[in-house]
């Protein structure tokens, strides 16, 4: 029997995803594989929450989520024992088990729960990880034993989740390497990948229906870690995997559909931000020029900003003011108490704000914790770089930080900025900056902005541009690359130019809207639950099949089409009232 027949026609939600992670640096930066998942799920409107493993003790919290991803490879979560997913007790494992039974989709790495919290390796007892001491085995459908896979290759048996996987990793297995593999498999376990040496074979990745849900186990989460960071897959392959996870969970029959992350089906977001610094004339030039082009921007100011400049900034209703500390210090040199003082002193000057940016984008765990406990809602310091180091993320995400051997999951959202104008214009105040070199810097800045925008727009994310009056506002020549870039972006009417506050408000609103999907082939029905007391305008669904015939029930809307290369995407833009409404789509 084809394992796809496990999936029956049901009303399924656009999923809410829980990704368990300790973050890569302890200060909120996501591992590369984690933000690949974030970006692909977000494109579907499948909102992602990052959390430490303590949430596994809260069954009520788990009910909110439809998919849980539990990596057990270094760089994701497999670090100190209190934080690692290889160390689980039976309480947390039974909570996972019950969550799967009730309809969840659990994706985990091979060492999930193999050790007790006290450090005992459950495999040691009888040289086998049995379902008696390892409850997760009841969902996966087998016990586990450890084997040496030297000389083995990991081969593909799957045409859905791992259709991209066709390169055996034999070259990685020329030395001793021990992994857990299934034994005593139940008949309904479906092998997706297998370890084979030509004589023997063992399952390398499996999926099984358990209750109303599914359990998938991977021998190694390096399968979903990009190869440039030591993993076994490339970015497009990992992205494709998470796309298939989403469509499989939603029970889609040859269609691809989801919720647009941005209002009115906008394809991407540009958020213009500024950090203070410079002469009054530079502020005037910068703000006048920018606010002639953008409806709003976010300006981060310190508590020591000259009063006349602060008053000037506050005159503009389009400007959202953010906290940038009082003394503009390196926060790496501050403890928690000093970090709090920097924040609170600035608030006495500029008032309470919702957003913060660390000076020199030098963010710390102590500083992030201070922001979270002081009621900040979002932050913008963890720089994104998808050109060289592949850091940061182009969709908002909540920050998880560590203090020593403790993790703290916050509701503070990160909006990662791109490189600032300083990277290109830092010689402005040098004694020698020839005009020819100035022109080269201006061209390089414009080229960088355009390149990053193409990457972020293609992924339908948020680009946070970061500037300073003292650099890009130094003269019109230095400001011109930014202005020309904004003009080019705004020529595409399907782009949203907004302040960080506007983006945060939209993101935090729509992530709580629930969309259920029933796919009957030629007819798709969406049931939409708006939990708020006010209607939401611009809530948007998308589908890659059509043209559709759309019928609205208890809501209103329209659709438009977007050309995507040789393909067409259809966006159904809605005004949804409080409560439940629905949309029926008939396809040709």
């Amino acid at each position: 029997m084809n394992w796809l027949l496990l999936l029956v026609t049901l009303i399924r939600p656009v999923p809410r995803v829980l990704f368990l992670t300790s973050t890569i640096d302890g200060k909120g930066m996501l591992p590369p594989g984690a933000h690949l998942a974030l970006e692909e799920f977000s494109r579907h409107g499948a909102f992602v929450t990052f959390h430490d493993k303590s949430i596994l003790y809260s069954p009520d919290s788990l009910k909110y989520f439809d998919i849980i991803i539990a990596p057990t490879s270094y760089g994701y979560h497999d670090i100190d024992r209190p934080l690692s997913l290889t160390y689980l007790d039976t309480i947390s494992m039974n909570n996972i088990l019950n969550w799967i039974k009730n309809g969840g989709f659990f994706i985990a790495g091979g060492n999930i729960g193999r050790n007790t919290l006290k450090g005992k390796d459950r495999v040691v007892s009888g040289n086998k990880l049995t379902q008696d001491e390892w409850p997760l085995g009841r969902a996966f459908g087998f016990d586990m034993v450890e084997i040496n896979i030297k000389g083995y290759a990991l081969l593909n048996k799957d045409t859905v989740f791992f259709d991209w996987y066709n390169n055996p990793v034999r070259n990685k297995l020329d030395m001793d390497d021990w992994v857990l593999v299934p034994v005593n498999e139940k008949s309904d376990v479906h092998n997706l990948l297998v370890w084979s040496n030509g004589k023997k074979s063992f399952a390398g990745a499996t999926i099984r229906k358990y209750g109303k849900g599914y359990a998938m186990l991977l021998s190694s989460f390096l399968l979903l870690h990009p190869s440039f960071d030591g993993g076994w897959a490339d970015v497009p392959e990992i992205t494709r995997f998470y796309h298939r996870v989403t469509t499989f969970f939603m029970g889609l029959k040859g269609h691809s559909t989801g919720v647009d992350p941005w209002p009115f089906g906008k394809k991407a977001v540009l958020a213009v931000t500024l950090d203070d610094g410079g002469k009054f004339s530079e502020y005037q030039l910068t703000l006048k020029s920018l606010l002639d082009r953008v409806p709003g921007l976010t300006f981060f100011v310190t508590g020591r900003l000259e009063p006349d400049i602060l008053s000037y900034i506050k005159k503009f209703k389009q400007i959202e003011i953010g906290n940038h500390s009082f003394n503009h210090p390196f926060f790496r040199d501050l403890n928690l108490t000093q970090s709090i003082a920097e924040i609170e002193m600035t608030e006495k000057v500029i008032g309470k704000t919702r957003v913060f940016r660390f000076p020199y984008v030098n963010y710390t765990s102590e500083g992030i914790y201070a922001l979270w406990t002081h009621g900040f809602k979002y932050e913008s310091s963890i720089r994104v770089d998808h050109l060289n180091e592949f850091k940061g993320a182009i969709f908002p995400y909540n920050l998880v930080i560590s203090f020593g051997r403790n993790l703290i999951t916050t509701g503070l959202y990160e909006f990662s900025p791109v490189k600032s104008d300083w990277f290109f214009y830092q010689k402005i105040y040098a004694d020698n900056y020839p005009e020819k070199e100035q022109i080269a810097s201006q061209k390089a800045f414009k080229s960088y902005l355009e390149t990053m925008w193409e990457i972020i727009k293609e992924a339908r994310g948020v680009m946070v541009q970061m500037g300073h009056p003292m650099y890009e506002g130094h003269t019109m020549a230095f400001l011109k690359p930014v202005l020309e870039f904004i003009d080019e972006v705004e020529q595409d009417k399907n782009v949203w130019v907004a302040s960080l506050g506007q983006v945060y408000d939209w993101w935090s609103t729509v992530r709580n809207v629930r969309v259920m999907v029933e796919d009957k082939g030629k007819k798709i029905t969406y049931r939409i639950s708006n939990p708020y007391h006010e209607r939401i305008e611009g809530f948007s669904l998308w589908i890659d099949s059509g043209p559709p015939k759309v019928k609205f029930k208890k809501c209103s809307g329209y659709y438009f089409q977007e050309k995507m290369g040789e393909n067409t995407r259809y966006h159904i833009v809605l005004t949804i009232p409080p409560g439940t409404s629905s949309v029926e789509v008939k396809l040709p």
Side-chain angles (χ1 to χ4, degrees), residues 505-523:
D505 287 340
W506 177 261
W507 191 260
S508 57
T509 296
V510 297
R511 66 179 288 110
N512 290 317
V513 175
R514 190 67 157 164
V515 178
M516 308 295 290
V517 181
E518 184 178 25
D519 185 351
K520 293 184 176 180
K522 295 294 184 180
K523 178 182 176 182

Side-chain angles (χ1 to χ4, degrees), residues 528-573:
I528 307 160
S529 297
N530 174 5
Y532 303 102
H533 296 296
E534 298 179 355
R535 67 182 186 177
I536 300 174
E537 294 187 9
F539 187 85
S540 179
L541 308 168
W542 62 265
I543 186 167
D544 281 347
S545 302
K549 293 182 178 180
V550 186
K551 184 177 181 180
F552 305 100
K553 293 186 177 181
K554 296 184 179 180
C555 63
S556 59
Y558 61 92
Y559 79 85
F560 68 92
Q561 65 183 43
E562 174 193 357
K563 293 298 293 182
M564 302 177 66
E566 297 180 356
N567 300 317
T568 302
R569 173 169 290 187
Y570 298 88
H571 300 269
I572 305 170
V573 180

Side-chain angles (χ1 to χ4, degrees), residues 385-443:
D385 182 356
H386 282 17
L387 294 174
N388 303 304
E389 302 170 279
F390 216 80
K391 291 182 177 179
I394 60 176
F395 283 90
Y397 67 95
N398 67 297
L399 292 168
V400 181
I401 57 174
S402 63
F403 282 119
R405 300 185 67 178
N406 297 307
L407 280 177
I408 296 175
T409 296
T410 78
L412 181 71
Y413 273 78
E414 174 63 32
F415 290 83
S416 296
V418 299
K419 285 181 180 179
S420 77
D421 50 8
W422 175 86
F423 281 89
F424 303 89
Y425 294 162
Q426 57 187 289
K427 289 185 67 176
I428 278 178
Y429 297 97
D431 293 334
N432 184 27
Y433 196 11
E435 183 178 356
K436 185 176 181 180
E437 193 173 339
Q438 293 179 30
I439 294 171
S441 299
Q442 293 157 14
K443 289 181 177 179

Side-chain angles (χ1 to χ4, degrees), residues 12-279:
R12 304 287 289 182
V14 176
R16 294 166 173 168
V17 180
L18 173 63
F19 199 111
L20 299 174
T21 184
S22 60
T23 72
I24 197 167
D25 64 350
K27 298 181 290 186
M29 183 184 293
L30 294 175
H35 62 65
L36 288 176
L38 168 67
E39 291 167 13
E40 180 57 27
F41 282 125
S42 295
R43 280 192 283 267
H44 286 266
F47 292 98
V48 181
T49 297
F50 293 92
H51 211 290
D52 65 275
K53 72 175 185 179
S54 66
I55 196 173
L56 299 178
Y57 293 102
S58 177
D60 288 340
S61 297
L62 295 181
K63 288 178 184 177
Y64 178 85
F65 301 101
D66 306 295
I67 297 173
I68 295 178
I69 301 171
T72 52
S73 293
Y74 179 78
Y76 283 107
H77 203 113
D78 198 13
I79 47 178
D80 288 346
R81 184 183 305 167
L83 315 181
S84 172
L85 289 165
T86 64
Y87 294 83
L88 295 176
D89 59 16
T90 56
I91 296 173
S92 57
M93 286 192 281
N94 279 322
N95 287 341
I96 295 171
L97 210 62
N98 291 329
W99 174 84
I100 300 171
K101 277 184 182 178
N102 289 321
F105 187 179
F106 187 61
I107 303 171
N111 282 321
I112 184 82
R114 72 173 287 167
N115 299 316
T116 68
L117 293 183
K118 293 183 177 179
K120 176 186 175 183
D121 187 345
R122 293 184 170 100
V123 179
V124 172
S125 175
N127 295 318
K128 184 184 293 186
L129 192 59
T130 67
Q131 297 171 41
D132 291 336
E133 56 184 350
W134 183 55
L136 292 177
R138 299 173 207 157
F140 293 126
F142 43 69
D143 299 331
M144 301 272 274
V145 297
E146 197 165 37
I147 67 164
N148 186 348
I149 54 172
K150 181 179 180 180
Y152 281 74
L154 190 58
L155 307 176
N156 186 10
K157 288 191 67 177
D158 180 33
T159 58
V160 178
F161 291 110
F162 295 100
D163 64 324
W164 48 267
Y165 187 79
N166 53 21
N167 294 315
V169 294
R170 185 181 301 277
N171 61 325
K172 296 180 182 292
L173 305 175
D174 292 336
M175 58 184 68
D176 290 343
D177 195 0
W178 294 80
V179 301
L180 289 170
V181 297
V183 292
N184 303 328
E185 296 177 37
K186 293 185 180 296
S187 59
D188 57 353
V189 174
H190 299 268
N191 292 337
L192 307 177
L193 302 173
V194 294
W195 292 109
S196 175
N197 64 0
K199 298 178 181 179
K200 296 181 180 179
S201 62
F202 302 91
T206 64
I207 188 171
R208 179 174 181 252
K209 194 173 191 312
Y210 182 68
K212 297 178 181 179
Y214 302 89
M216 179 184 288
L217 189 71
L218 313 179
S219 285
S220 173
F221 237 83
L222 292 176
L223 279 164
L224 298 179
H225 211 58
S227 57
F228 60 77
D229 204 48
W232 295 351
D234 291 324
V235 171
E237 297 167 344
I238 300 171
T239 297
R240 196 181 313 168
F241 172 85
Y242 287 117
H243 172 79
R244 297 293 171 78
V245 166
T246 308
T247 56
F248 171 81
F249 179 82
M250 292 172 63
L252 300 177
K253 299 179 181 299
H255 308 295
S256 187
T257 188
V259 175
D260 278 308
W262 312 120
F264 300 97
K266 300 292 187 182
K267 67 171 67 170
V269 183
L270 173 64
V272 176
T273 70
L274 292 167
D275 293 356
D276 65 9
K279 297 178 293 187

Side-chain angles (χ1 to χ4, degrees), residues 469-499:
M470 65 188 296
Y471 292 113
E472 63 190 45
H474 186 60
T475 67
M476 183 55 76
F478 286 101
L479 188 56
K480 187 177 178 181
V482 178
L483 302 181
E484 290 181 343
F485 167 69
I486 293 172
D487 289 342
E488 291 169 4
V489 168
E490 290 192 320
Q491 287 178 12
D492 186 342
K493 301 302 182 183
N494 201 25
V495 168
W496 186 26
V497 180
S499 69

